[in-house]
Amino acid sequence: MMGIAGGLVWNQLENNKELVKKGLLFFTVQLLLNALWSYLFLGCIIFCLL
């Protein structure tokens, strides 16, 4: 679903370039933070179990 949402935003690049770039920047930051959170949370669980 995240890929579909990103694709729908990307398709609007010709209509409003500045707004789409800002939206994709926030989308990318959100995606990276979500990945980082999962890594940190699972790393803490594994470390605490040792």
Side-chain angles (χ1 to χ4, degrees), residues 16-39:
N16 196 342
K17 194 170 191 173
E18 192 65 33
L19 189 60
V20 169
K21 282 185 176 182
K22 186 184 254 186
L24 288 175
L25 175 66
F26 285 123
F27 179 81
T28 304
V29 169
Q30 169 88 31
L31 205 58
L32 291 173
L33 288 174
N34 283 342
L36 181 63
W37 168 252
S38 298
Y39 178 74

Side-chain angles (χ1 to χ4, degrees), residues 1-11 24 27 30-31 34:
M1 282 227 199
M2 293 293 284
I4 292 171
L8 290 173
V9 173
W10 180 265
N11 286 336
L24 288 175
F27 179 81
Q30 169 88 31
L31 205 58
N34 283 342

Side-chain angles (χ1 to χ4, degrees), residues 3 8 12-13 15 21 23 30 37 44 46-47:
L8 290 173
Q12 297 300 316
L13 189 61
N15 296 338
K21 282 185 176 182
Q30 169 88 31
W37 168 252
C44 180
I46 292 170
F47 179 73

